[in-house]
Amino acid sequence: MNKVRLSVYLDPATMAQVTELARRKKQPRSLIAEAAIASFVTPDDSDRREAALVRRLDLLTRQGERLERDLSIAVEVIALFIKFWLTVTQPLPESAQAAAQAKGRERFEFFLETLGRRLAKGQSLLREVSIDRLNGDANEGRSTVQLKSNEAPR
């Protein structure tokens, strides 16, 4: 194999270490120097592990940020719905409460069934409603979600 010549200047202490190592290993100093240079310019396992760890931490950070954003959206949706519902819903007379509670249980069961189907299919309201719409960039700040025919409210 052809090799290229390289002349380097070493301080006396480093040269003494190279010479001592070459004597112990019974190898020429140039081989020791070549191995040291190759080790220096080639990333070792710890560098590769560190790079993989940094990539993984970056991924986890982005996932955490998405989860935080999604949770903020979900909390805002729930709070807005509750505020809206409390604002527009009139109190019921005592005589209509039993029928309203029965209808409420029926609607809640339908809600749970619909939610179960959507989750089983992997559907998500957050995927349907773009972030642009939530930020008010489209539809003059209003976001509409269409229900599929099998998800019509009762």
Side-chain angles (χ1 to χ4, degrees):
M1 166 165 63
N2 267 343
K3 293 197 176 194
V4 178
R5 181 178 176 86
L6 171 69
S7 295
V8 296
Y9 294 97
L10 301 175
D11 66 87
T14 304
M15 186 61 169
Q17 288 177 321
V18 169
T19 303
E20 175 59 25
L21 183 60
R23 186 189 61 74
R24 278 186 293 156
K25 299 278 188 178
K26 297 180 180 162
Q27 298 290 328
R29 289 184 299 185
S30 62
L31 185 64
I32 301 298
E34 183 180 1
I37 292 169
S39 173
F40 185 78
V41 298
T42 305
D44 59 1
D45 284 342
S46 66
D47 288 342
R48 282 188 234 125
R49 279 193 303 270
E50 182 179 342
L53 183 62
V54 167
R55 283 191 305 273
R56 182 67 178 148
L57 285 173
D58 287 345
L59 176 65
L60 289 172
T61 299
R62 286 191 305 274
Q63 287 174 339
E65 289 168 350
R66 273 193 308 273
L67 284 171
E68 183 179 7
R69 182 204 67 207
D70 291 352
L71 182 60
S72 295
I73 292 169
V75 167
E76 190 63 29
V77 166
I78 292 169
L80 188 62
F81 173 77
I82 291 171
K83 182 179 178 182
F84 177 78
W85 185 82
L86 290 173
T87 303
V88 299
T89 304
Q90 297 293 324
L92 294 175
E94 197 67 37
S95 60
Q97 295 240 344
Q101 288 174 351
K103 189 64 168 176
R105 281 190 291 276
E106 178 185 328
R107 287 180 176 173
F108 186 69
E109 285 299 319
F110 176 75
F111 167 78
L112 291 179
E113 290 170 14
T114 302
L115 178 63
R117 279 194 309 273
R118 288 178 61 88
L119 292 176
K121 291 179 184 177
Q123 293 175 323
S124 164
L125 181 64
L126 289 175
R127 289 188 192 116
E128 289 179 19
V129 178
S130 72
I131 296 303
D132 291 340
R133 287 180 180 238
L134 290 174
N135 288 334
D137 296 340
N139 280 341
E140 300 171 1
R142 284 173 275 159
S143 176
T144 58
V145 178
Q146 295 178 340
L147 294 175
K148 294 185 171 52
S149 60
N150 64 345
E151 295 176 347
R154 290 186 181 175

